[in-house]
Amino acid sequence: MPTFKLDGNAIPFEAGDTIIKAAWREGIEIPHYCWHPGLSAPANCRMCLVEVIPSAPQKPVMLDILAWDDVAHEYRTQQKPKLVPACRTAAAEGLVVLSDKSEQVRKARRDVQEFLLLNHPVDCPICDQAGECKLQDYWLEHGQFRKRMRDEPIHKPKGVEFGTTIVYDAERCVMCTRCIRFMAEIAKDPVLDMRERGNLNEIVVAPGRRLDGHYTFMTEYVCPVGALTTKDFRFKARVWFLRSAPVVCQGCATGCNAYIDFDPRENKAYRYRPRDNAKVNDFWMCDEGMLSYVFAHRERLLQARVGDQHVSTTEAIEHVRTFFAGVPGSRIAVVLSAEHSLEDNWALHELGTNLLGVDRVFYAAHPDGYSDDILIHRDKNPNLRGVHSVAPGAKPVEALLGDVASGQITHVISLGSSATLGVDQVAKATWLSLAAHTGTLPRMATVVLPVTSWAEHSGTYVNARGLRQVSEKALAPQGDSQAAWQALISVAKALGHEASWHSLKAVRAKVLGIGPLLDDSTLTVSSPSSVE
Ligand code: SF4
Ligand code: SF4
Ligand code: FES
């Protein structure tokens, strides 16, 4: 691979790379505002300026500047090397680039910072971006100057509602145009633009339009400062109290990689952020997915139930023992869930087919919905392919109705919450539901055991392309819930069997062999945090 030198270090690059992109891939940050690895590069912020040392016989391009001469007490003409934007300068074999090691570059960064902060309100104490703001970070790294301007700063619109999700503060905006480019280039809806010039610049929504559609949250995500905030997260938490876990979005079969940010003091999830994965979602997520973190808490089932009565998990298991005593496997059906992990589904399938002798396996799933050619998949389940891998012959749960009506099936064990069934259609069956959320299946059940949601355990999901991905645990189990594969150990025991799985490691070793899969390279959570 060809290389160039950055501050003396060899940086490999691919054809078409700019200096900033090659350095970014190596985990080296050249300061920047307008550049983003997933967007075009307008080179308008000038924060990424670097010095390129030409090799002989070329001479450096020099610029005349006026510099204050302390001895002569007047401005004198001096020369300095012309700096170039690293976001628009192509990497080339043998190039010698100075970034942190150039005094001219360090001064340029300081000057850009001072320029950007001239009219900035510096309202960090009430800004949601505080703690993850590029203006703050770069001021510490490259600024640390005192403000010299004594004039009243220019005031601009604040609290402007761009749509139902996003609020704009023009005084905090550094005019990097990332939000404009995201909407035009990725969301394919060029609804944002810039108006005026110089310090009157501001971002506006096209006349007659709102910032809407399925990708508005990403404008806030790409904004490097606190100019765009989401109504959902605004004023809810300080980011330095939050911790992050790498998870897989459960909103559809695309399986976008995300971080779930949560406050461990309250065991509460606050937001999703996209996690870079070039094989799945690049840098992005859709609005529905970004808001689906709320189901870490919303509609959660926290306690076991028998009939209408809340009971302890031990009591519920005792009822399972009684209800299922002496029932042959031929009368029992298991219902797997496209909402649940491979581990949970494997454990239920194992219990049913190997321990109980069940021969009728079904699966429940969310119905199809909206899709596009950007990210959103019509299959609204995170693991339908995984269910088909665990049980290739499983039928949709609707096919169970006839078996129940004819009396061939009298007992059912189901996983998950969603299914397009009516409660009265299966009233004749004794039903054990293991569910994390309220929904059709637990509503129709005789006994309900609460299980952990995706946010409370580590689980493996297979997306629509056949990629197997691990979603890690963020929250502690809520209420009386435990992972479904764990709860099924107790269920197996109550039904007179010893489970062959007793740890996550043991279950995961089993699901590793499940296939076929197109590509298994994202089995481990490995995506680096986005550094843009
Ligand atoms: S709102 Fe944010 S992303 Fe948009 S131009 Fe301003 S600083 Fe950049
Ligand atoms: S496209 Fe699907 S997986 Fe990706 S963020 Fe949206 S809902 Fe989640
Ligand atoms: S990042 Fe290069 S000019 Fe903005």
Side-chain angles (χ1 to χ4, degrees):
M1 211 179 211
T3 60
F4 67 92
K5 283 272 172 66
L6 179 64
D7 284 342
N9 301 313
I11 307 290
F13 66 92
E14 295 169 7
D17 272 356
T18 53
I19 292 171
I20 202 170
K21 188 158 192 185
W24 169 76
R25 207 180 284 113
E26 288 298 291
I28 298 170
E29 189 189 52
I30 295 174
H32 57 276
Y33 288 104
C34 68
W35 181 76
H36 184 288
L39 300 173
S40 62
N44 66 7
C45 76
R46 318 311 278 181
M47 190 63 188
C48 70
L49 293 177
V50 290
E51 189 174 342
V52 173
I53 312 286
S55 46
Q58 285 178 311
K59 291 205 172 132
V61 179
M62 302 300 283
L63 288 180
D64 283 348
I65 56 162
L66 277 180
W68 179 253
D69 188 322
D70 271 341
V71 180
H73 286 281
E74 62 180 8
Y75 283 99
R76 291 269 169 91
T77 303
Q78 290 185 1
Q79 285 209 311
K80 76 170 186 94
K82 180 171 163 45
L83 305 179
V84 295
C87 66
R88 290 287 287 196
T89 307
E93 177 70 55
L95 208 63
V96 177
V97 182
L98 294 181
S99 174
D100 294 347
K101 292 205 168 158
S102 161
E103 174 52 35
Q104 296 293 343
V105 169
R106 291 201 299 273
K107 181 172 182 317
R109 289 173 187 166
R110 229 174 14 249
D111 291 348
V112 171
Q113 275 294 112
E114 184 171 20
F115 173 70
L116 290 176
L117 287 169
L118 276 184
N119 292 300
H120 190 280
V122 199
D123 53 348
C124 307
I126 56 154
C127 178
D128 289 281
Q129 192 85 4
E132 54 186 10
C133 174
K134 287 292 184 200
L135 272 173
Q136 286 184 327
D137 294 349
Y138 291 157
W139 185 85
L140 268 174
E141 288 170 34
H142 310 291
Q144 303 217 11
F145 47 78
R146 284 185 169 278
K147 190 166 184 175
R148 289 185 289 168
M149 190 177 91
R150 292 287 171 263
D151 298 332
E152 179 69 15
I154 300 286
H155 290 292
K156 293 188 188 180
K158 298 176 82 70
V160 183
E161 292 196 14
F162 273 3
T164 53
T165 55
I166 300 291
V167 179
Y168 176 60
D169 182 324
E171 292 187 342
R172 295 177 185 161
C173 178
V174 296
M175 302 299 159
C176 68
T177 71
R178 279 185 182 192
C179 53
I180 298 173
R181 284 174 285 135
F182 173 82
M183 287 309 295
E185 295 167 15
I186 308 296
K188 311 285 184 220
D189 180 12
V191 67
L192 296 181
D193 209 337
M194 185 189 280
R195 80 165 171 218
E196 292 290 357
R197 287 285 181 273
N199 58 16
L200 297 178
N201 268 167
E202 81 182 82
I203 303 300
V204 288
V205 183
R209 280 289 313 273
R210 304 265 280 167
L211 176 60
D212 53 18
H214 293 274
Y215 294 93
T216 62
F217 272 62
M218 286 303 95
T219 60
E220 183 272 346
Y221 178 63
V222 296
C223 183
V225 298
L228 294 178
T229 47
T230 66
K231 289 188 190 173
D232 183 62
F233 184 68
R234 230 166 120 77
F235 306 133
K236 297 256 175 71
R238 307 294 352 202
V239 297
W240 49 86
F241 290 127
L242 302 183
R243 299 293 173 268
S244 306
V247 295
V248 174
C249 176
Q250 307 284 296
C252 79
T254 302
C256 291
N257 291 206
Y259 288 106
I260 193 164
D261 291 342
F262 61 99
D263 190 330
R265 301 170 304 172
E266 312 164 88
N267 201 35
K268 186 168 187 289
Y270 276 93
R271 66 175 180 183
Y272 264 149
R273 277 180 298 126
R275 183 161 52 90
D276 306 355
N277 189 331
K279 290 189 172 182
V280 183
N281 51 310
D282 281 332
F283 310 93
W284 320 119
M285 287 175 71
C286 74
D287 285 4
E288 290 78 1
M290 286 288 284
L291 278 172
S292 64
Y293 78 90
V294 299
F295 290 102
H297 304 289
R298 191 178 291 172
E299 298 169 16
R300 276 286 282 117
L301 278 171
L302 299 175
Q303 206 180 350
R305 183 167 59 70
V306 175
D308 292 335
Q309 297 295 313
H310 285 298
V311 296
S312 70
T313 302
T314 314
E315 285 173 273
I317 295 281
E318 277 311 308
H319 279 84
V320 171
R321 188 194 307 278
T322 310
F323 289 149
F324 281 75
V327 180
S330 58
R331 298 262 182 229
I332 303 174
V334 295
V335 181
L336 307 181
S337 171
E339 299 169 70
H340 274 256
S341 65
L342 280 182
E343 290 83 351
D344 290 350
N345 278 295
W346 177 85
L348 178 55
H349 188 255
E350 181 74 0
L351 169 70
T353 56
N354 274 352
L355 301 183
L356 302 180
V358 165
D359 53 18
R360 292 178 205 220
V361 179
F362 300 86
Y363 68 90
H366 293 289
D368 284 356
Y370 171 85
S371 67
D372 62 26
D373 56 5
I374 302 171
L375 278 181
I376 303 173
H377 202 281
R378 69 176 160 68
D379 172 7
K380 299 301 164 194
N381 300 280
N383 205 22
L384 188 56
R385 270 195 81 152
V387 166
H388 288 311
S389 306
V390 171
K395 296 181 189 158
V397 68
E398 292 74 20
L400 171 63
L401 295 177
D403 293 348
V404 171
S406 67
Q408 291 178 64
I409 293 296
T410 57
H411 289 67
V412 179
I413 306 174
S414 71
L415 189 58
S417 309
S418 282
T420 46
L421 293 178
V423 177
D424 49 336
Q425 293 173 291
V426 287
K428 282 176 23 189
T430 301
W431 198 293
L432 165 61
S433 159
L434 294 96
H437 294 95
T438 56
T440 314
L441 295 179
R443 203 158 44 240
M444 66 179 50
T446 327
V447 180
V448 176
L449 287 176
V451 298
T452 47
S453 78
W454 89 103
E456 296 155 43
H457 62 238
S458 177
T460 310
Y461 300 84
V462 184
N463 77 358
R465 287 185 49 227
L467 284 162
R468 195 162 23 182
Q469 307 189 93
V470 172
S471 180
E472 291 297 357
K473 172 181 170 169
L475 305 176
Q478 299 181 74
D480 292 340
S481 58
Q482 54 185 331
W485 63 263
Q486 277 176 311
L488 286 165
I489 297 173
S490 311
V491 173
K493 201 164 186 180
L495 302 185
H497 299 277
E498 184 61 36
S500 62
W501 64 97
H502 286 280
S503 67
L504 177 62
K505 198 172 163 194
V507 184
R508 194 156 283 167
K510 302 284 186 185
V511 304
L512 261 179
I514 292 170
L517 298 170
L518 293 179
D519 183 342
D520 214 10
S521 52
T522 58
L523 176 62
T524 52
V525 174
S526 58
S527 301
S529 169
S530 188
V531 295
E532 76 286 0

